[in-house]
Amino acid sequence: MGSMYGRLFRVATFGESHGPAVGVIVEGAPAGMQLTAKHIQDELDKRRPGLNVYVSQRTEDDAVEILSGVVDERTIGSPIAMIVRNTGQRSGDYKDIAHLFRPGHADYTYFKKYGIAPQPGGGRASGRETVGRVAAGAIAKRILEEHLGAQVAAYTIQIGSVKAKEIHADYAGKHPLRCADPSCAEAMEAEVKRVAAAGDSIGGVVEIIATGVPAGLGDPVFEKLDALLAAALMSIGGVKGVEFGEGFGAVRMKGSEHNDQMGTTGFLSNHAGGILGGISTGQPIVMRTAVKPTASIAIHQKTIDVSGRSADISVKGRHDPCLCPRIAAVAEAMTAIVLADAWLVHNATTGIRK
Amino acid sequence: MGSMYGRLFRVATFGESHGPAVGVIVEGAPAGMQLTAKHIQDELDKRRPGLNVYVSQRTEDDAVEILSGVVDERTIGSPIAMIVRNTGQRSGDYKDIAHLFRPGHADYTYFKKYGIAPQPGGGRASGRETVGRVAAGAIAKRILEEHLGAQVAAYTIQIGSVKAKEIHADYAGKHPLRCADPSCAEAMEAEVKRVAAAGDSIGGVVEIIATGVPAGLGDPVFEKLDALLAAALMSIGGVKGVEFGEGFGAVRMKGSEHNDQMGTTGFLSNHAGGILGGISTGQPIVMRTAVKPTASIAIHQKTIDVSGRSADISVKGRHDPCLCPRIAAVAEAMTAIVLADAWLVHNATTGIRK
Amino acid sequence: MGSMYGRLFRVATFGESHGPAVGVIVEGAPAGMQLTAKHIQDELDKRRPGLNVYVSQRTEDDAVEILSGVVDERTIGSPIAMIVRNTGQRSGDYKDIAHLFRPGHADYTYFKKYGIAPQPGGGRASGRETVGRVAAGAIAKRILEEHLGAQVAAYTIQIGSVKAKEIHADYAGKHPLRCADPSCAEAMEAEVKRVAAAGDSIGGVVEIIATGVPAGLGDPVFEKLDALLAAALMSIGGVKGVEFGEGFGAVRMKGSEHNDQMGTTGFLSNHAGGILGGISTGQPIVMRTAVKPTASIAIHQKTIDVSGRSADISVKGRHDPCLCPRIAAVAEAMTAIVLADAWLVHNATTGIRK
Amino acid sequence: MGSMYGRLFRVATFGESHGPAVGVIVEGAPAGMQLTAKHIQDELDKRRPGLNVYVSQRTEDDAVEILSGVVDERTIGSPIAMIVRNTGQRSGDYKDIAHLFRPGHADYTYFKKYGIAPQPGGGRASGRETVGRVAAGAIAKRILEEHLGAQVAAYTIQIGSVKAKEIHADYAGKHPLRCADPSCAEAMEAEVKRVAAAGDSIGGVVEIIATGVPAGLGDPVFEKLDALLAAALMSIGGVKGVEFGEGFGAVRMKGSEHNDQMGTTGFLSNHAGGILGGISTGQPIVMRTAVKPTASIAIHQKTIDVSGRSADISVKGRHDPCLCPRIAAVAEAMTAIVLADAWLVHNATTGIRK
């Protein structure tokens, strides 16, 4: 359970970090849309480690193969299956700790739920699972671009105590930490290096913005657009909070400050973050996620083994000291998936009112 | 779309603020469980306005009628339909502003989506819609209590800048603002009175805690327990952010601080908020929601009418200056609904492993 | 479980035969569509017993009340809740047999599934449950008519060994048995009277035809239009078989006979019954259902009680000796519901191909 | 749309006949269950053509690869992805008719729905699509066997006018036409050879029986077990009708004949086919499907091309003159999938009644 998503734009992912492959089936993409392996690969490359000193040094080829649903670089309306073979896993890294529950990981809860011992690399709970999401997100992005001209971007706006003051989304795309503010990029890098040197890790904030989304997407009550987006972002491993527009900042605001007033040219502000009553307003959708510090750290911690005996653990291996840049890539994908689905649902009744 | 929820514990709500009735159908409740109108009514009374000066003074009887699924005070496994007649609505309050989009409300987005003019009281987007959720939540709570011994509580921990220092859930149940801390209750009340007197409103934070939830609930990837809970809480009108455990506080933490280490008696801390890898750990599930200031305020604001013409609006009527106490009641219901559904899904495979 | 249906046109029914009310929530109907209680009532009246000697003589008012989703006789895009109060039930009829499993009924399977004793009138398994379906079907029919100009009709083409030779759908609408062929109406009536006089019942065939359905509705693999229609029709109590076009007659045919060849004006025949590869062809959709003889009969039968002891049972009361006319009304509703849902799903991607 | 199925036992298939691969993702299989590629392969081999003169001579290796969800031959609770590479397709066979709608095929409806020209081999509408279903069905069968001791068997009981008189399921498993009756096997073979020699094809009836299914599976109203089974069987290409127990034979029966009376040892007959009120009775579930004659025939037929021009078509290639043996394999799979799903749903509430 849990690996299938969507109402009309449907996604089913599979794969463990140390199994033969990871991948995804996507259905609901309109027929006749241009789609090549390169569209997918470009997005997958964004989540690839090994590009810099901040994210883990494991080499992943992540070469995607499209197995169905595309003929002559055009979608035909059938499910699009994509796989990426796992190569370069090193189970050896996990051998010494194979019977220990790693603190901050899903080892213990998977053991309680499925009765299985901790899997090398986390098995299904590995970040490797997000390959399928990003591949699906690449298709969702194609739909948003081609049919709506909408764009999704995610970037790091805080690491530890270092906060971005300005947002330059273009800059973020090129920066190894996806830092959105050139003026604090160096400080962020220093912070990450500092904790990494100590065998530790650090949290951060990733902001996601979707522009060009028309008014009217989303549905009342349980399928509010912000509810679906919150679930999608919270479903990314390491995310511990989600907020829209002013978010937790709205707590101290008065109605006269928070309400977005309107003029003849539209809204005069966007404190709501582009969604009112669960339906898009046509303004940019603005979200932020709280990212916890990476659970895998070299620093020694107390834990227990599968038999309940006390143990001491130090998680070796090539782990990112800060999850933000990887989460940004997945957050873009999840946002695009939710928006594509909401748009298809919206199409079902829009323009047919009598 | 949007008013049906759940995989095995399924909920379908209906009703507008100024229509004949609001209500809900619930299916998936185990047969043979004791259930009376009083179980439902007690929960509905928690969300009732008119009990104090802080929440709106409109008198609602909210007398629930059970139409099906219960025979001789026992569930029989069939859908349980419940309705509450709308009485005491005063459409007159909305007459003067019937063609204006109220800032901070869903009037504009509903107009764009459905082509309908602003409805008296907000129509489907009214807080009145939550009656069905709370009635369904009452059944979910019965399931959690009877089958798991689990409890859900929600309370106000911040209003404006006034923050609770300690949590006394029992106290909150009796306080008109659901304030959890007796030592700051007076300050919270003063803050609410102050903004109300100015024709304004104020935001706050509601915390929700679920205790007695066993380890193993929730599913990987898209149906993570925290993802489903985040969607459920974000689906409540006025909620602009959700966080788990340390939440946004995790941003500044190191892995060595945030990871919950384990000893032979279990976890040594609960920074994660009771969920790891999307699956419950057996510890209390701890969540907080950011509540925006009430959108309906008497202070004059700029807006436009359905024809796009500029206008000035002052929303009269009996509106809560702070949504926290009402949202707490609905947050409890939504949390219970998600947990009951997750528990049923969990039952499907638990204990049948070979 | 089981009482909610649909992907975009969603239906949730509730109610037992001897509870306070039966009803339904419908969501997905486009906003702005004209809808009055009369639209619903006209369809409900079709399934009403008491109109003739063949169907049971119990007087049902079946007066529908619309509780939400309609303002000034127009849909507003919100869920439409409808209830019909139960009146005139006579639990007394069931008192003597309250602990016996009625042969051919769901008493035994409900007992095994839910642990509940046989309910008066069958409880949720009563034909009374179909009130909600027919009310929902009335809305689906409105959508099909208003947006597609499509129509659904169902009629009896066989009772026992008496078969219709010609189809006159108009005639069927006025005939108490919904017999489609005036030339055999008398023989059908005689057959029903004959078995009724003997305290027995008889089976039959109901044919359903949907005209004006455009090509392209339905989806490959699991959501084929005929698969969804088959489920919808089989979900009606008393239906034991479903076939499309030539149906079981195709068994003896050769490909050269069964294939529908094409000319410049379209298909040259309709052996397929309007669906190819699970997608509508634009021709009439033609289906037939096998209807079993009514299970409730006065003739004495062997059964057991809830403790497993042998017993003799004769089911008294006002039961239809032939289910066909009632099933025709429900079959129309279910067909319309499936088609409305398929049309909404189809809208999501149609016309947006690039 | 359409390629994902299930509530708790979920299946997502993909793949076209002439694309790189076909396959499936399965989720919901209990963790800890033994599962090897051989379990899958054995079922896939049942649907393989090339084994005899009756089914098409194309050589398919159909070697399955398990990509995830299984570690050391045990399920771990994660999605199980399986692929089969397509080899040996001969697009050349379709070159001459690439712009023609083949009568009896989905070419025309796919063209109307997706705007795509007829695909070689039928693309997604090819029988090749069923590889994924059969692989998923193999897992469902494992669940039924290991947890319930239940079995599913399907066999041919009629081809053209040749009908089986007795059922020997074991014999059917070894017979190339899956004929269940040794006494008429020769006549069935002769019938198939006769139509094949004429460049034609012939229909038939496949019966499916599920034994060992406990009472209580299935849900009232829309998710009746027979409704779900009917949809599952009707979703198989070539099936034009489905019936349960007496099926269309019930039409001529009286209630006193059709009702299954009960004694202290249980039901005294099984006219209902193992399902009452949509819930399994504990008796064998008995179903039959009407199979149309193969659409691809060498005999010349009238058709049109994608531009609407008249044409003459003769479909060359290695096509089965009778679909029954292949459909039997897929019918077993679909039945097992529905029963596994129903069993998981049933587990959610069974045994937890208070």
Side-chain angles (χ1 to χ4, degrees), chain C residues 240, chain D residues 244-246 260 270-275 281 283-287:
Chain C
K240 298 302 289 181
Chain D
F244 291 77
E246 298 293 338
D260 297 308
N270 187 16
H271 299 296
I275 299 174
T281 63
Q283 293 178 287
I285 296 173
V286 182
M287 304 169 278

Side-chain angles (χ1 to χ4, degrees), chain B residues 257-280:
Chain B
E257 294 164 336
H258 189 271
N259 283 344
D260 297 309
Q261 302 186 45
M262 300 188 80
T264 52
T265 56
F267 288 99
L268 305 177
S269 57
N270 187 16
H271 299 296
I275 299 174
L276 276 174
I279 298 170
S280 61

Side-chain angles (χ1 to χ4, degrees), chain B residues 76-342:
Chain B
I76 59 169
S78 299
I80 302 165
M82 299 174 282
I83 62 167
V84 174
R85 294 275 166 184
N86 287 327
T87 55
Q89 316 101 299
R90 302 197 313 206
S91 290
D93 287 349
Y94 298 95
K95 224 178 225 168
D96 296 345
I97 58 172
H99 290 85
L100 303 182
F101 302 123
R102 292 168 299 161
H105 275 282
D107 295 339
Y108 175 75
T109 52
Y110 272 58
F111 179 74
K112 295 298 279 185
K113 185 170 193 75
Y114 299 115
I116 55 167
Q119 299 291 305
R124 185 68 182 146
S126 162
R128 183 77 186 154
E129 166 266 317
T130 61
V131 165
R133 304 193 194 205
V134 171
I139 295 175
K141 283 186 170 186
R142 289 285 305 126
I143 296 173
L144 297 178
E145 281 163 23
E146 190 153 331
H147 291 280
L148 295 176
Q151 304 278 343
V152 179
Y155 35 80
T156 304
I157 61 168
Q158 184 172 349
I159 287 182
S161 302
V162 187
K163 278 188 181 183
K165 278 141 215 123
E166 297 175 2
I167 305 300
H168 298 269
D170 284 351
Y171 178 79
K174 294 166 218 139
H175 189 263
L177 288 171
R178 281 225 190 192
C179 170
D181 183 357
S183 77
C184 73
E186 236 172 279
M188 280 192 188
E189 294 173 40
E191 174 72 358
V192 171
K193 280 177 187 160
R194 197 176 58 80
V195 295
D200 213 339
S201 62
I202 188 76
V205 176
V206 168
E207 183 170 274
I208 306 102
I209 187 159
T211 51
V213 178
L217 268 56
D219 288 276
V221 190
F222 303 117
E223 295 180 10
K224 288 195 165 93
L225 189 58
D226 37 358
L228 300 182
L229 285 166
L233 295 174
M234 195 66 75
S235 79
I236 305 170
V239 173
K240 298 303 289 183
V242 179
E243 62 178 18
F244 291 78
E246 298 292 338
F248 277 87
V251 166
R252 291 163 193 266
M253 293 173 80
K254 294 185 195 122
S256 56
E257 294 164 336
H258 189 271
N259 283 344
D260 297 309
Q261 302 186 45
M262 300 188 80
T264 52
T265 56
F267 288 99
L268 305 177
S269 57
N270 187 16
H271 299 296
I275 299 174
L276 276 174
I279 298 170
S280 61
T281 63
Q283 293 178 286
I285 296 173
V286 182
M287 303 169 278
R288 278 173 302 280
T289 59
V291 177
K292 75 173 191 182
T294 314
S296 292
I297 53 175
I299 288 178
H300 285 256
Q301 301 167 89
K302 287 181 200 149
T303 190
I304 55 173
D305 66 14
V306 293
S307 307
R309 283 180 297 245
S310 264
D312 176 276
I313 189 169
S314 161
V315 184
K316 301 287 187 336
R318 304 148 301 173
H319 302 286
D320 310 341
C322 178
L323 295 171
C324 286
R326 273 175 182 274
I327 281 183
V330 186
E332 281 188 9
M334 291 307 301
T335 300
I337 288 168
V338 171
L339 292 175
D341 189 44

Side-chain angles (χ1 to χ4, degrees), chain B residues 54-74:
Chain B
Y54 312 110
V55 290
S56 71
Q57 295 308 308
R58 171 173 151 195
T59 304
E60 295 184 12
D61 274 328
D62 277 3
V64 71
E65 182 186 10
I66 298 178
L67 294 179
S68 67
V70 179
V71 173
D72 297 338
E73 305 198 343
R74 293 270 161 195

Side-chain angles (χ1 to χ4, degrees), chain B residues 35-50:
Chain B
L35 188 72
T36 67
K38 188 176 183 308
H39 286 123
I40 312 300
Q41 197 66 53
D42 285 352
E43 293 297 316
L44 287 178
D45 290 349
K46 287 190 192 172
R47 66 166 292 292
R48 251 164 83 180

Side-chain angles (χ1 to χ4, degrees), chain A residues 238-309:
Chain A
V239 173
K240 298 303 289 181
V242 179
E243 62 177 19
F244 290 77
E246 298 292 338
F248 277 87
V251 167
R252 293 163 191 266
M253 293 173 80
K254 295 188 194 116
S256 56
E257 295 164 336
H258 189 271
N259 283 344
D260 296 309
Q261 300 187 45
M262 301 188 79
T264 52
T265 57
F267 289 99
L268 305 177
S269 56
N270 187 15
H271 299 295
I275 299 174
L276 276 174
I279 299 170
S280 61
T281 63
Q283 292 178 287
I285 296 173
V286 183
M287 305 168 278
R288 279 173 300 281
T289 60
V291 176
K292 75 173 190 182
T294 314
S296 292
I297 53 173
I299 288 178
H300 286 255
Q301 301 167 91
K302 288 179 202 152
T303 191
I304 55 173
D305 66 15
V306 292
S307 307
R309 283 180 299 245

